[in-house]
Amino acid sequence: MLKVYNTLKREKVEFKPLVEGKVGMYVCGVTPYNYPHIGNARPFVTWDVIKRYLRKRGYEVKHVQNFTDMDDKIIKAANTEGVEWNVITDRYIKGYFESMDALNVQRADIYPKVTEHIPEIIAMVQKLIDNGYGYEIDGDVYFSVEKFSEYGKLSGRKLEDMMAGARVEVDTRKKNPMDFALWKSAKPGEPYWESPWGKGRPGWHIECSTMSLKYLGETFDFHGGGSDLIFPHHENEIAQSQCCNENYNSFAQYWLHNGFITIDGEKMSKSLNNFFTVPDILKEYPGEVVRFFILRTHYRSPLDFDRDRIKEAQAGLLRLRKAWDNAQELIEKYTDKKLESKDGAFAELVELADKAEKDFYEAMDDDFNTALAIGYLFTLAKDINIYYNKVQNEGAAYDAESFGRLYDVYAGIAGVIGIFEGSLEMPAEENAEDGLSAEAIEALIQERLEARKSKNWARADEIRNSLKEQGIILEDSAAGTKWHRA
Ligand SMILES: [Zn+2]
C-alpha cells in the first residue's frame, strides 16, 4: 500500500488514484529567465523518481509541468539585454532541458506555457468575476480572499493572522491586503495581450489553475513543487480552481512538497554569493552524481549542499557502478562463451533478490523513501560482488537463472533511482591533480570578494590575475562571481 505525505492533511495517507490504474500529476515548473539553480533541481529530480516509481507500480502516469514564460523577471532580463522577451525564454527553456537531461530527468508529457494559454486564462479570470470571487480595478483583476472560506487550508494560515502580518506598502485599491492579482494591466513598454479589462497579462498563479484544468481536468491526483510554493502560490491555485470548478471540492487530491536546499548550512541567496546554477555544478560533478546526492536524502527533509557530502555520494555511486559492471561482465562472459549454466545451483541468490525487492517496495511505498531504497542497492551490490568473486576467482558454477534474477532486481531499482543510464564521465578537472581544486578556487573568489568589499583593489586584482595565470577565468555579474577553466 502506497502512503504519501499530503501537505493538505498534514499526515501520511493512503494513495488511492481517482481512476484505477491511472495517475494525473501537475508539477510547477520554472520561470525561464536564468539557468536552473540547485534548489530548482531538487523538485524535478524528486518528481522524476516519483513518476518512475508509479510507472514501475503499473500506473499510467500523465505528467504536466508548466513554464512561466511571462513574468517581471523575464521582462527585466529582456530589457537589460535589449532583446525580446522570447529570446530570454527560448534560451533558458533550452538551458532547463540541458540541465535536466544531464540529471537523467525524464521529460514530462506536456510542458504548457503561459503565453500559449492566454484565451483560456482570460476565460477563467472572467469566470471568477462572474462567480463573484474576482473584481476589477483600473485594468487589474484581483481575487477576493475573503470570499473563499477555505483560504489558508493548505498552508495552515488564518486570514486574520496573514492580514496582521501584511506588509505596510499595501495597494489601497484592494479590498483586502491579501487579495492577489489574477490579471495585471500592462505598464508602458511591457508585453501585453488584449482582454476584457484592457491590455495586460496574467498574474502568476492563474496559469497553473488554467493549465491543470485543461490537461488534467477539474480534479486530479498529485500536485507538486518545492515547499516555498505552498504559500502563496499553491494556496492561491486552490482558491482559484475551487471557485471555478463545478464541484467545489475538486482539484488536486494529494499535495506533495520537497524540502529546502541549503548551501554549506546557509540559505541559498544571491547576496550570500552561494547561488549555484546547475550548469555551474555540472562543471564540477557529473549529473548522475548530483542526482544521486539529491536522492540520498528523503525528499521532504532539508538537504545541505556540502562538497564533502557530494564526494561521499560520488564514492558511493562508483561502488554501485562497480557491482553493475561486474554483473554485466559475468552475464556477457556466460553468453559469449556459451558456458553451461547450473540453474538453481545458487538458489540463495533468488532469496536475496526477493528480499531486496520486497524491502525496496516497502521503502518507496512509505512516502517515496529513496534514502532507504538506495541502502538496499548497496546490499545488493555487495551480494553481486560476493558471487562475482566466487565465479571468477573460486571456480564456482555459474547459475544464470538465479544470478539473472539478482541482476534484474538490481537493474529495476537502479532504473527507478535513475542511475546507470549513461557513461559516468568525471569532469576533467576532477582528475587534474596539478590544477587548483574547485574548493581552492572558491576560497580565492571569496577572499577576492572580501578584498573588494574593503576596497583593497590591489589584492582583488592580484587574485584575479593569479587565477588567470592558472587558466581560471572569473566572470562577475549581479548574481555573483562565476568561474570556468579556460
Ligand atoms: Zn504552479
Side-chain angles (χ1 to χ4, degrees), residues 157-168:
R157 297 173 187 220
K158 286 202 172 68
L159 193 53
E160 307 89 84
D161 300 341
M162 289 189 244
M163 284 156 63
R167 291 209 229 144
V168 196

Side-chain angles (χ1 to χ4, degrees), residues 347-361:
E348 64 267 31
L349 295 180
V350 178
E351 276 168 48
L352 293 171
D354 289 348
K355 167 136 184 24
E357 189 173 54
K358 185 172 161 285
D359 289 343
F360 164 74
Y361 277 111

Side-chain angles (χ1 to χ4, degrees), residues 26 28 66 208 223 233-234 237:
Y26 187 92
C28 291
N66 65 309
C208 291
H223 197 314
H233 183 55
H234 288 164
E237 277 187 43

Side-chain angles (χ1 to χ4, degrees), residues 441-458:
I441 296 166
E442 299 288 348
L444 282 167
I445 289 175
Q446 192 56 35
E447 193 193 335
R448 174 169 165 265
L449 181 78
E450 269 145 25
R452 283 164 54 156
K453 271 190 198 149
S454 56
K455 298 198 165 34
N456 185 352
W457 308 116

